[in-house]
Amino acid sequence: MAALSSPSSPLGAMIPTAASPASSAPGPAPPRALTVAGSDSGGGAGIQADLKTFTALAVYGASAITALTAQNTTGLVAPFMPVGPQMVADQIAAVLDDIGADAIKTGMLPNAEVVRAVCDAVRPAVLLASVPLVVDPVMVATTGASLVDQDALHAILTLLLPMATVVTPNVPEAEAILARKVIGASGSSETTEGTIAALRSAARDVAALGPRFVLVKGGHAPIFKGNRRVVVDVLWDGEQFFEFENDYIDTKNTHGTGCTLSAAIAGCLAKGQSVESAVATASAFVHSAMSPGISVGKGHGPLNHSFAFTNVTVEKFSLLDYLIESCKPEWNNFLTHPFVQRLEDGTLSEASFIHYLRQDYIFLQHYTRAHALAAYKSPHSHVAWALKTALTLSNETALHARLLSQPRFGNISSADLEATPESAATIAYTRFLLEVGNSGSILELRVALAACLVGYGVLGKSMLLRVSRQPGWELHPYRQWIETYGGEEYQQAVKEGSEELEALAAEMDLTRTSKRLKHLADLFKQSTILESNFWDTFC
């Protein structure tokens, strides 16, 4: 089990950059999220809360309305009106066919016909294009009244949940899904330990219905830790539990918390975060939106979604974020390449790994030369980093030689290693880098080199975090490789390299509207594609 405390401010990478001149060329497509939910005329929940959340997270939000409500902070003032299933499907198709979505969330689905229409409409995106689906199972009103009939509940359980990436029930919703009590189901479940055990049990049982991750929210069951009253949300990923803890806030202004949390998870998934990271960010976002407090209406008021814009300084333009966002499909293909997956789970054959080490040994020699060129071309204040990186790469090259000299990898001698023929993919990648180094500017070269440096850092860190927690880690066949790229020395090199790139870009006064950005994005994209092509030869 991993216990994660939500960060005190979730906004490090949330706030959009300050506006650029209106005459500029369009920038890259932003992350996109689609909410399929009911409309709250009071603005505190439903699609209104979802779209506010997306905006606060710098995600482009689109919507498909499933039901119309006349409500305010005191509750519903008239019966809600479901939208016809065909109209719901048409809204979803209109968004996906043109704008697209990097994540989808569902909220209130008022009847079985709408549930089936939503499932049919999103299924190609979710199952074929692997678009994350966040399901907020809106079933029970704050008053305790049921918002769905038994036919709709059955459709949600049998059709929607099996497609879900994440489902986010609170305690009453978990009880509706499981048709049993969650809190108070046993004699010990009202204690702190019993409450957490009950939330875990519910998460595991809901997961049996098919969703990949289950987040059972503990807002209805706050507990005491010492003198602190806290809320713990429990995430189950099918193998282990994660706990997200926040101080309990005693306020009546909680309308829309579930909608906001699920929307924030969807927004973070749209930006490429892992589920665990997205939940941590979303949990902190909701806590922060509750903390400032706003007074709206006479009843249970909404969250303060605008805290993100009023309490935080707008971040500066990040070239690296721009580059990654500009080639998101290629970047994701790089990070999820079959070679990487087999390396992580230990199923990569030794023959393939030996072939990789031989070719990567050659690649690293050229990559080091390219960094030597970077040192030569750099302004004096940036020379030290390039030389330090070359030394790190030299150590990385020596690691390959040491691994290949081991009996399990063939006792390959230095002479034999040096005589390894270059593959076509190695030639294509290394000559591209050297050509940029010889003919391009220092910024162009740094950008071309960044895909490998940063990509290996992201992979090494995430692999080490996941695999080192698993039984038998000590015997993992590629442990030394994972520890090298996930270890402190390489991670520090990635941090310093990223900072150097941003500093160089800042000195050249790049903005999102710079004409040079498209060329830099093309170079980064080409490097990312060549990296994936390089790995293709080992699968």
Side-chain angles (χ1 to χ4, degrees):
M1 184 277 291
L4 303 180
S5 295
S6 301
S8 59
S9 174
L11 298 177
M14 291 183 184
I15 307 303
T17 305
S20 299
S23 61
S24 64
R32 305 152 299 171
L34 166 64
T35 172
V36 182
S39 171
D40 175 1
S41 58
I47 63 157
Q48 286 83 353
D50 295 344
L51 294 174
K52 293 174 187 177
T53 302
F54 294 155
T55 299
L57 294 171
V59 172
Y60 182 85
S63 64
I65 299 175
T66 60
L68 302 175
T69 70
Q71 65 175 301
N72 52 36
T73 63
T74 66
L76 291 171
V77 300
F80 66 81
M81 180 184 298
V83 174
Q86 186 58 55
M87 185 59 187
V88 173
D90 288 344
Q91 292 176 80
I92 295 171
V95 173
L96 296 182
D97 291 348
D98 176 38
I99 298 168
D102 299 303
I104 301 170
K105 73 144 282 188
T106 63
M108 180 183 181
L109 304 176
N111 54 51
E113 292 76 15
V114 168
V115 175
R116 285 192 283 269
V118 170
C119 290
D120 290 342
V122 305
R123 187 174 288 110
V126 173
L127 298 186
L128 299 181
S130 299
V131 174
L133 174 64
V134 180
V135 174
D136 181 10
V138 179
M139 298 178 180
V140 183
T142 303
T143 60
S146 176
L147 297 176
V148 296
D149 58 26
Q150 285 301 308
D151 288 342
L153 176 59
H154 182 264
I156 290 170
L157 299 187
T158 58
L159 299 177
L160 186 61
L161 291 194
M163 288 198 298
T165 307
V166 193
V167 61
T168 63
N170 58 29
V171 169
E173 290 160 350
E175 291 178 339
I177 291 171
L178 298 174
R180 68 167 176 84
K181 291 288 290 182
V182 171
I183 303 298
S186 66
S188 64
S189 64
E190 293 182 359
T191 66
T192 294
E193 296 78 9
T195 295
I196 293 178
L199 297 177
R200 287 186 174 191
S201 175
R204 195 192 296 267
D205 290 349
V206 173
L209 298 172
R212 175 68 182 84
F213 293 80
V214 177
L215 178 71
V216 178
K217 299 172 292 188
H220 288 77
I223 60 177
F224 282 95
K225 285 194 172 182
N227 295 325
R228 294 173 56 228
R229 196 179 188 194
V230 300
V231 171
V232 177
D233 300 332
V234 172
L235 177 69
W236 169 245
D237 71 355
E239 295 181 355
Q240 64 178 323
F241 291 100
F242 299 84
E243 294 173 7
F244 303 86
E245 178 184 308
N246 283 296
D247 288 333
Y248 177 79
I249 299 175
D250 188 8
T251 176
K252 68 175 184 176
N253 295 330
T254 58
H255 184 52
T257 51
C259 301
T260 299
L261 179 70
S262 56
I265 293 172
C268 292
L269 292 177
K271 297 171 78 171
Q273 291 182 230
S274 68
V275 172
E276 295 90 343
S277 174
V279 172
T281 302
S283 177
F285 181 90
V286 170
H287 189 264
S288 296
M290 292 175 67
S291 297
I294 53 174
S295 297
V296 175
K298 303 173 184 177
H300 294 281
L303 278 61
N304 180 14
H305 298 85
S306 64
F307 83 94
F309 302 104
T310 57
N311 293 349
V312 179
T313 302
V314 175
E315 67 175 1
K316 295 180 180 178
F317 170 70
S318 167
L319 175 60
L320 188 56
D321 287 348
Y322 174 93
L323 295 173
I324 292 173
E325 193 61 43
S326 69
C327 66
K328 191 172 182 180
E330 292 80 10
W331 185 251
N332 288 339
N333 288 340
F334 170 35
L335 296 183
T336 59
H337 195 280
F339 170 76
V340 174
Q341 296 174 355
R342 294 170 191 171
L343 192 68
E344 178 175 337
D345 63 26
T347 60
L348 185 72
S349 70
E350 286 191 359
S352 295
F353 190 62
I354 291 170
H355 182 32
Y356 159 73
L357 289 177
R358 280 178 170 268
Q359 291 301 315
D360 204 44
Y361 179 83
I362 298 170
F363 170 82
L364 287 171
Q365 291 178 326
H366 293 299
Y367 194 62
T368 304
R369 293 187 182 100
H371 276 85
L373 276 171
Y376 172 73
K377 289 185 170 237
S378 291
H380 181 72
S381 59
H382 294 273
V383 171
W385 174 81
L387 293 176
K388 182 179 179 180
T389 302
L391 178 59
T392 299
L393 292 169
S394 178
N395 293 337
E396 189 181 345
T397 307
L399 167 67
H400 286 44
R402 288 196 303 275
L403 286 172
L404 288 167
S405 67
Q406 296 176 4
R408 62 175 295 213
F409 295 128
N411 283 321
I412 297 171
S413 67
S414 295
D416 188 12
L417 182 57
E418 293 293 340
T420 301
E422 285 188 79
S423 70
T426 305
I427 292 172
Y429 193 4
T430 57
R431 299 320 184 266
F432 166 76
L433 294 176
L434 293 173
E435 174 58 28
V436 174
N438 285 317
S439 62
S441 68
I442 178 56
L443 184 58
E444 290 168 343
L445 176 56
R446 288 281 180 83
V447 165
L449 293 170
C452 177
L453 177 72
V454 176
Y456 268 68
V458 171
L459 288 170
K461 184 176 181 179
S462 60
M463 276 191 193
L464 185 60
L465 180 64
R466 289 190 296 265
V467 182
S468 63
R469 296 174 175 176
Q470 298 175 2
W473 159 240
E474 296 78 8
L475 301 177
H476 193 288
Y478 306 119
R479 175 179 175 178
Q480 191 171 358
W481 188 95
I482 295 172
E483 286 181 330
T484 296
Y485 292 104
E488 183 177 346
E489 181 181 2
Y490 192 82
Q491 291 300 316
Q492 183 63 26
V494 173
K495 179 178 181 294
E496 292 176 359
S498 301
E499 291 171 350
E500 280 287 320
L501 179 61
E502 299 294 356
L504 193 61
E507 290 174 10
M508 298 186 178
D509 197 25
L510 285 174
T511 68
R512 290 185 185 274
T513 62
S514 169
K515 293 181 179 180
R516 298 181 62 189
L517 278 180
K518 185 179 186 305
H519 177 58
L520 293 174
D522 288 342
L523 290 174
F524 188 83
K525 178 179 179 179
Q526 186 62 28
S527 287
T528 303
I529 292 172
L530 288 168
E531 189 72 53
S532 293
N533 292 347
F534 178 70
W535 281 345
D536 284 343
T537 60
F538 314 121
C539 293

